[in-house]
Amino acid sequence: TCARCSKNRRLRQKRVISERKLTRYFVDHRKVRVVGGQGGGGGYSFLSEPRKEFGGPDGGNGGDGGHVILKADQQMKSLSSVLPFYRGFHGERGGSKNCYGANGAYVYVKVPVGTLVKEDGKVVADLTRHNEEYVAAYGGAGGKGNRFFLSNENRAPTLFTPGEPGQERVLHLELKTTAHAGLVGFPNAGKSSLLRAISSAKPAVAAYPFTTLNPHVGIVHYQDYEQVAVADIPGLIKGAHQNRGLGMAFLRHIERCRFLLYVVDLSVSQPWIQLQDLKYELEQYKKGLSERPCVVIGNKIDLAQSRINLPLLKEQIADRVIALSALTGDNLEELLLHLRELYDTYVKIEQSRGQSPARW
């Protein structure tokens, strides 16, 4: 029995990856060079058979080179698997007897949903839907065989053309986490503990700043099978919009969230100052970001000081406040119900605009 227990303990230890180790696997920037496949050369031949000694030109055209295509896949969570270089497959050369060369196969590069594609600082694609594709580099056109140049004026053409080279580009891929709700708060406000409490996500939790170094997305399941995605983004500090602390690592990922959950620590003095600072950092990064639909979550209500600060917080701010404890689970149900209200409102607004809301 003791041997079995120790074996299970070792297996659990293997499965748990620490947050710092996880940073090696989570990559949200990648520079990649892509080259389309070379087109196949045109064929050069003349038909010569019994009783058809001068059958004329029969060199077929070459096949087109294969494209390099970026494809969004919701199973991918990081750009770590994207290589620095991709080349499409070459087209085959045209053959005799008017045989065309085969086209080169496409190369598909899987990237996470929410990947932004930039070239020379300009956004050229935004892959926000599962299975959405973007042709990163086109393959070259196949060459023409000498059969193509047959005419009344030239009955025995010797001209044939080589295949064209594929398109070559250098692209910058940038990942912005896609989720319905974003947990916004300073380090140690309890965002990771809250995400653990309302979903099956397992971000690292510890009593020191910047425990979370990467975005985590947890899925909240409802009885009618609707799913709401909640992102735990690395905590920010004052001056994050100037890239202090984790800076852009936080702000870039919060940009796509449809509504925001501000998490404040009720146990500190004047918790409303946290909310003011959070909204200021969001607004400095992108105008209008702090005005998205939101709710204020007063965490750590299980502490005595938090119960004293709660009525003071409600007096200072106009936003709705939900007081709860991520540690003990107190009042989580009120948050889940309000989260669903925010999601349903978002769905109605998208449908009224004739757009399909993002679903998980």
Side-chain angles (χ1 to χ4, degrees):
T1 306
C2 292
R4 189 181 300 119
C5 289
S6 62
K7 183 180 179 182
N8 290 339
R9 198 179 302 115
R10 285 197 304 272
L11 287 172
R12 281 198 300 273
Q13 288 171 350
K14 282 183 180 179
R15 281 197 295 268
V16 176
I17 300 177
S18 73
E19 184 72 28
R20 293 195 177 275
K21 286 182 181 177
L22 193 62
T23 50
R24 294 187 223 155
Y25 307 110
F26 182 83
V27 177
D28 57 4
H29 273 89
R30 187 68 95 194
K31 179 181 176 182
V32 59
R33 181 168 155 255
V34 288
V35 182
Q38 170 98 19
Y44 172 78
S45 72
F46 288 89
L47 181 62
S48 180
E49 292 180 349
R51 293 185 292 277
K52 276 190 180 180
E53 189 175 348
F54 301 102
D58 66 349
N61 297 339
D64 296 334
H67 306 329
V68 178
I69 300 175
L70 302 179
K71 186 172 184 177
D73 188 334
Q74 63 188 13
Q75 298 298 320
M76 304 291 290
K77 303 302 177 188
S78 167
L79 294 171
S80 57
S81 61
V82 177
L83 302 176
F85 176 72
Y86 288 95
R87 184 192 291 275
F89 289 93
H90 299 323
E92 292 186 4
R93 186 178 184 82
S96 59
K97 299 184 180 178
N98 296 322
C99 289
Y100 281 43
N103 293 333
Y106 295 170
V107 171
Y108 286 92
V109 182
K110 289 185 178 181
V111 296
V113 173
T115 298
L116 209 62
V117 186
K118 294 183 178 180
E119 185 177 25
D120 298 327
K122 182 182 177 183
V123 176
V124 293
D126 191 359
L127 305 175
T128 58
R129 305 276 178 184
H130 179 61
N131 283 334
E132 191 173 352
E133 295 181 1
Y134 172 69
V135 180
Y138 286 94
K144 303 299 183 184
N146 64 335
R147 169 75 184 185
F148 178 82
F149 298 99
L150 178 65
S151 66
N152 289 332
E153 292 76 26
N154 188 0
R155 305 305 299 169
T158 57
L159 178 64
F160 62 99
T161 60
E164 295 181 4
Q167 184 183 19
E168 183 171 350
R169 301 169 77 187
V170 175
L171 302 174
H172 292 266
L173 307 184
E174 183 179 301
L175 175 60
K176 294 184 180 181
T177 303
T178 301
H180 297 119
L183 292 170
V184 186
F186 288 115
N188 276 31
K191 301 184 301 300
S192 296
S193 299
L194 183 59
L195 189 66
R196 278 174 168 258
I198 63 176
S199 74
S200 58
K202 301 298 179 189
V205 174
Y208 54 83
F210 297 118
T211 314
T212 304
L213 302 175
N214 307 301
H216 293 267
V217 178
I219 308 300
V220 181
H221 299 271
Y222 290 90
Q223 289 183 344
D224 59 353
Y225 302 106
E226 281 286 7
Q227 298 181 140
V228 179
V230 181
D232 169 26
I233 315 288
L236 73 153
I237 61 173
K238 288 184 180 180
H241 68 278
Q242 297 169 336
N243 214 19
R244 291 180 187 166
L246 294 179
M248 303 307 178
F250 163 81
L251 293 163
R252 181 173 61 253
H253 289 287
I254 209 71
E255 200 174 336
R256 291 193 191 275
C257 296
R258 276 69 176 185
F259 40 90
L260 305 177
L261 311 179
Y262 293 102
V263 184
V264 297
D265 185 350
L266 279 178
S267 64
V268 302
S269 62
Q270 297 182 318
W272 53 90
I273 301 295
Q274 297 176 50
L275 183 63
Q276 292 171 8
D277 291 340
L278 288 169
K279 288 192 173 185
Y280 174 78
E281 293 299 329
L282 294 184
E283 199 61 26
Q284 289 300 306
Y285 174 70
K286 185 179 181 182
K287 192 170 179 61
L289 194 57
S290 66
E291 298 171 5
R292 293 191 183 176
C294 69
V295 64
V296 178
I297 299 170
N299 194 19
K300 306 183 183 180
I301 193 62
D302 51 306
L303 303 178
Q305 187 60 44
S306 299
R307 289 190 285 273
I308 297 171
N309 289 337
L310 178 60
L312 302 175
L313 175 65
K314 289 184 176 180
E315 287 176 10
Q316 293 288 333
I317 64 173
D319 298 313
R320 177 172 177 175
V321 178
I322 297 176
L324 53 79
S325 171
L327 183 65
T328 63
D330 290 349
N331 209 28
L332 283 179
E333 190 169 344
E334 184 183 351
L335 171 62
L336 294 173
L337 289 172
H338 188 64
L339 183 63
R340 181 58 190 269
E341 289 175 16
L342 289 169
Y343 173 75
D344 289 341
T345 303
Y346 153 71
V347 170
K348 287 176 183 175
I349 291 173
E350 290 295 293
Q351 289 175 343
S352 67
R353 293 173 178 169
Q355 298 176 355
S356 58
R359 297 186 186 275
W360 283 71

